[in-house]
Every structure is written in structure tokens, then in C-alpha cells.
Amino acid sequence: MARQDQSFTTAPLDPSFQPAMLFNRNYLAAARNTCRAVPLVLGLERENGLVSRHETLVLPDADVVTTRYVERLVKFLLWSRGGARLHVGGPKPVSEAVRRIYAPRGARSFDWQMMTQTYNSRFQVIHTSPEKVPAEKEMDLPAGSHRRGYRVGFDLSSTRYKVSAVANGKVAYLEEAAWDPKRQANPDYHYHLISGALHRAASHLKRVDAIGVSSTGIIVDNRLCVTSLFRAVPRKLLPKAGDIFKRIEREWQVPVVVMNDGDVATLAGALSLGSRGML
């Protein structure tokens, strides 16, 4: 396989460096030239039956280069889309190599642990054939641009929180305060502070039609799965802490949407620019 590409300028401090884009391009070109390339389908299964798929070609043997190519793809897909189970539809040597790498004691044990914590179940690598990888099912969640009705917005960071009440697009109440959640080990502290702020905001509205939340961390199905807010919370109490907004949704009986603060910033950009598909 060619090490460099004519369009690539050698990095002065690391002449052996090659961007992933060029590595992937060169790998696929070399695989096709051998006439031995076979299909590989990676399917990442997430919450509520959601599935992301990625289709490519690989050489059937899990040599060093093929393993590197697939392992890097898996890592990118995991961190861009998430997954509780990875279906590897292709040669068994390739799926076995991925299984060894993404394991509690594998080279990517950190990634294995992160996905296990995020989805509250052991991350699995499942070997199958390309045609048996689950069909793609992506999330379709319309959020934002709703200005009618009575809504409460909450923004959580590791140093400050903000809560607002909005009536038909106009701010009726705004509160901002410093807090220090990183030192609080009791999930009830987080719940009562958030719940109290929500009630103060709601007292300025005729009713509450919906609650929107922006927070740091990894959020799955309105659960705060991995976040710096709970760094002091013992591991056995993390599920209780992460379910705070599920509890609030049950108590308030209104729609609640919790999103990562980066996604919310992107949504704000889309609204201000009048554009779609910002991510």
C-alpha cells in the first residue's frame, strides 16, 4: 500500500504521519486492486431500536493494515453516533479482531467502558453476515423553533445554571446562579436544586407546556449518562442521578427534551441563520 499521497504535504515534525482520509483512500484502492475485497457492514445498535450503519470493503484476512482500518472506523462511529452493540457483518477474522480490541482488557478498554456506562449494559461486538446486520433506523427528533405556548428552559453547566420562563416567545422570568455540582455526592441535591428552579420559573406562567434542557455530557433518551456534573456521585448512584429529568417528566406530566449543550448551540445557530442540517 502506498504510504503517501501526491496531494499530501509531508508533516515536517512527523514525516510518517498520514491523515485518516488518505489512509482509508489508499486502503480501499489497494483492496480493490487485489480482487479479494469483500463487503463489511458495521451496525451500531443504540437505545429504542435505533441503528446506524456503515458499509465498506475489506480484505478477508485480519492483517495489521485491515485491523487498523476497521478499528479506526469503529472508534469514529462509536464517538460520533454511540452504540450499545456493534454488529460486524463480514469476515469472522475481522470481527474477532474488533472483539479483542473493544473489550474490558483490550486496547480500547476505555471506549468499551464508556459505551457500557452510557447505555448501562455491557458493550457487545456481534459477528454476523453483511445481509443480517440490522436495518438502519436513525432518530428523527424535531426540536426548537416553537415559540407558542408556555415553556421553561434550563441550562446546566459545571459552574452555573440558568432557568427561564417563556410565554409565547417572550421571556417572563430569567434566573442565573452559581453552583458547584462537582462536589455533591447525593443525587437528591441535584434533583432538589433543579426542581426548585423549575418551580420558580413556572410560577411566572399560566401553565407549563414543555421543558427544554441543555446540559454538559452524554445524553441518551433524556438521561444524563456521562457528565462532569456527577463526578462526585458514587458509581452505584449514577443511574439515580442520571434519571433526574425522567423523574421530572413523570412528575410534571409535560414533554421534556434534554440535549447536549453543543447540540443546543447548533440549534440556536440554525434558528438565527434560518438554516437546517447544521450538524
Side-chain angles (χ1 to χ4, degrees):
M1 181 183 302
R3 181 59 186 169
Q4 297 291 352
D5 186 284
Q6 294 298 318
S7 62
F8 173 57
T9 301
T10 301
L13 299 182
D14 186 2
S16 64
F17 171 73
Q18 183 176 210
M21 179 187 71
L22 297 184
F23 178 90
N24 292 348
R25 181 191 301 167
N26 290 341
Y27 175 84
L28 289 172
R32 292 189 182 101
N33 287 339
T34 65
C35 300
R36 296 177 58 233
V38 296
L40 176 73
V41 180
L42 301 173
L44 283 167
E45 190 176 349
R46 309 195 302 279
E47 77 281 5
N48 302 324
L50 297 174
V51 177
S52 291
R53 284 170 57 107
H54 180 84
E55 300 182 10
T56 185
L57 297 171
V58 294
L59 295 173
D61 303 318
D63 58 23
V64 173
V65 180
T66 296
T67 300
R68 180 68 169 173
Y69 171 69
V70 177
E71 184 271 321
R72 293 286 85 187
L73 278 179
V74 169
K75 188 176 182 73
F76 173 79
L77 292 170
L78 279 175
W79 286 90
S80 63
R81 306 179 187 183
R85 286 169 293 279
L86 170 65
H87 299 264
V88 182
K92 190 168 184 178
V94 173
S95 63
E96 288 301 319
V98 173
R99 193 199 307 272
R100 288 192 300 271
I101 293 170
Y102 288 89
R105 292 182 175 83
R108 300 290 170 254
S109 58
F110 176 84
D111 306 70
W112 183 93
Q113 178 58 47
M114 183 63 71
M115 294 302 135
T116 295
Q117 180 179 344
T118 297
Y119 295 95
N120 198 29
S121 64
R122 288 174 65 88
F123 177 72
Q124 295 177 282
V125 178
I126 302 167
H127 170 69
T128 186
S129 59
E131 58 273 12
K132 290 185 179 181
V133 174
E136 184 165 291
K137 181 184 177 184
E138 292 290 5
M139 181 183 298
D140 183 14
L141 176 64
S145 75
H146 310 294
R147 304 189 185 277
R148 294 181 181 178
Y150 301 90
R151 305 171 185 275
V152 176
F154 210 113
D155 178 53
L156 295 169
S157 76
S158 58
T159 57
R160 303 187 71 80
Y161 73 84
K162 303 172 188 174
V163 63
S164 64
V166 178
N168 293 314
K170 295 182 179 181
V171 177
Y173 176 78
L174 181 63
E175 174 186 324
E176 180 176 355
W179 74 325
D180 190 16
K182 303 184 296 298
R183 301 178 188 274
Q184 304 296 332
N186 188 345
D188 288 335
Y189 164 86
H190 302 272
Y191 165 76
H192 287 298
L193 185 143
I194 292 169
S195 182
L198 288 173
H199 279 283
R200 288 192 296 276
S203 68
H204 293 265
L205 299 173
K206 293 180 180 180
R207 63 180 186 273
V208 175
D209 295 323
I211 298 172
V213 183
S214 167
S215 176
T216 61
I218 299 175
I219 298 159
V220 175
D221 193 24
N222 282 353
R223 289 183 169 90
L224 303 177
C225 298
V226 182
T227 173
S228 61
L229 302 178
F230 302 148
R231 66 179 64 178
V233 177
R235 183 176 294 274
K236 65 180 181 180
L237 295 179
L238 283 175
K240 180 180 180 181
D243 276 354
I244 284 175
F245 289 105
K246 303 291 282 189
R247 177 180 176 182
I248 287 172
E249 186 174 24
R250 291 192 299 270
E251 293 172 348
W252 288 64
Q253 292 294 301
V254 299
V256 176
V257 175
V258 187
M259 297 177 67
N260 173 267
D261 48 11
D263 292 336
V264 173
T266 304
L267 174 61
L271 292 175
S272 64
L273 295 173
S275 179
R276 296 174 62 86
M278 295 292 290
L279 287 176

